[in-house]
Amino acid sequence: MREFYGTKLSNALMLGTAQYPSPAILADAFKRSGAGVATVSLRRESGADKEGQDFWALIRKLGVHVLPNTAGCHTVKEAVTTAQMAREVFGTAWIKLEVIGEEDTLHPDTFALVEAARILSEDGFQVFPYTTDDLVVAERLLRAGCEVLMPWGSPIGSGQGLNNVFGLRAMRAHFPDTPLVVDAGLGLPSQAAQVMELGFDAVLLNTAVAKAGDPAAMAEAFSLAVNAGQLAATADPMEPRDMAAPSTPVIGKAFLS
């Protein structure tokens, strides 16, 4: 299994923690899925009234790796400041770096993303950048100090699946030694399996589980799909071909005249 900044995960499913109907359902989703990473937003932290403390206590009880994010940030300064605050709150150098450039699609601002990644990497952070499938941007992020890339499948919360399979396949081929995680846009377990069949190392999602009729069952379904896709990728799958080929041998077949 691929390492993420020196950490091996027992499960390639990463789950978000927002939008669940209740804390109990959130906890059940993590339990049934076995997800190894929980992404959390610093924006749930409060001021003097200490609202949100029960939520953080719940996250700690999950016993998983915590990946704070900079969700909702639109500038380099905002993302860097949020990351620094998250490190203090959660006591981890991991940060899922988001710098949003366009509101309707939540498309990453890739220029600001690279700059923020450079600043945070130099400050000792282990950056998981939410990016596009652009190979040039990926190269810039790696040069900025990132050791993981997290291209989107499609816009956050859209459930569209993989909008650019060619781009993701090209990224996997271009960066064979870099841990790659498809982050955002997945709506069905079959799409998660497709990601893993492409040779990616993990998937990260939130809405597809949290907004399902039965979030815990959907979380388990995604976990099974991730495992199936991962197993398929290592099983040396057959190449597609244009012509049909009979699966039953024709040698020894009786011919009637």
Side-chain angles (χ1 to χ4, degrees):
M1 178 165 296
R2 189 85 68 169
E3 293 187 0
F4 298 86
Y5 291 103
T7 298
K8 290 185 178 181
L9 302 178
S10 59
N11 191 309
L13 178 63
M14 303 178 178
L15 280 182
T17 55
Q19 307 184 75
Y20 288 83
S22 72
I25 292 176
L26 186 157
D28 195 24
F30 272 85
K31 180 179 179 180
R32 288 183 61 175
S33 69
V37 173
T39 60
V40 295
S41 174
L42 184 68
R43 293 174 184 270
R44 293 213 183 192
E45 183 59 28
S46 63
D49 55 5
K50 294 186 178 181
E51 292 179 355
Q53 296 304 309
D54 290 342
F55 173 77
W56 297 135
L58 170 64
I59 298 301
R60 286 192 292 269
K61 289 180 181 178
L62 294 177
V64 299
H65 296 279
V66 175
L67 177 60
N69 63 44
T70 62
C73 293
H74 291 76
T75 67
V76 172
K77 182 177 181 180
E78 188 179 12
V80 169
T81 301
T82 301
Q84 291 170 338
M85 293 170 63
R87 181 168 59 182
E88 293 299 319
V89 171
F90 299 108
T92 178
W94 280 18
I95 191 72
K96 178 189 170 186
L97 179 61
E98 298 182 30
V99 187
I100 301 302
E102 204 281 321
E103 282 294 340
D104 290 335
T105 62
L106 299 181
H107 194 293
D109 180 341
T110 54
F111 301 98
L113 180 68
V114 171
E115 177 61 14
R118 181 190 63 79
I119 294 171
L120 291 173
S121 294
E122 291 177 354
D123 192 28
F125 282 89
Q126 296 173 332
V127 180
F128 293 68
Y130 163 63
T131 183
T132 65
D133 48 39
D134 188 299
L135 297 182
V136 178
V137 174
E139 285 279 11
R140 297 290 191 275
L141 287 168
L142 294 177
R143 293 178 189 174
C146 298
E147 296 181 14
V148 176
L149 296 171
M150 301 182 73
W152 66 352
S154 54
I156 294 173
S158 69
Q160 295 180 21
L162 306 185
N163 281 351
N164 186 7
V165 174
F166 170 82
L168 294 173
R169 185 181 289 115
M171 180 171 280
R172 177 72 285 173
H174 197 71
F175 303 106
D177 300 320
T178 300
L180 299 180
V181 182
V182 165
D183 173 20
L186 301 183
L188 293 170
S190 57
Q191 296 163 354
Q194 184 182 16
V195 170
M196 302 306 291
E197 288 169 0
L198 290 173
F200 278 67
D201 301 290
V203 299
L204 194 159
L205 56 108
N206 188 165
T207 308
V209 167
K211 290 298 187 179
D214 186 340
M218 186 62 77
E220 183 178 359
F222 267 99
S223 181
L224 292 171
V226 166
N227 290 336
Q230 194 170 43
L231 185 59
T234 60
D236 192 19
M238 66 174 287
E239 293 291 334
R241 51 193 173 196
D242 295 330
M243 300 294 292
S247 56
T248 302
V250 296
I251 298 176
K253 177 183 176 181
F255 291 91
L256 302 178
S257 57

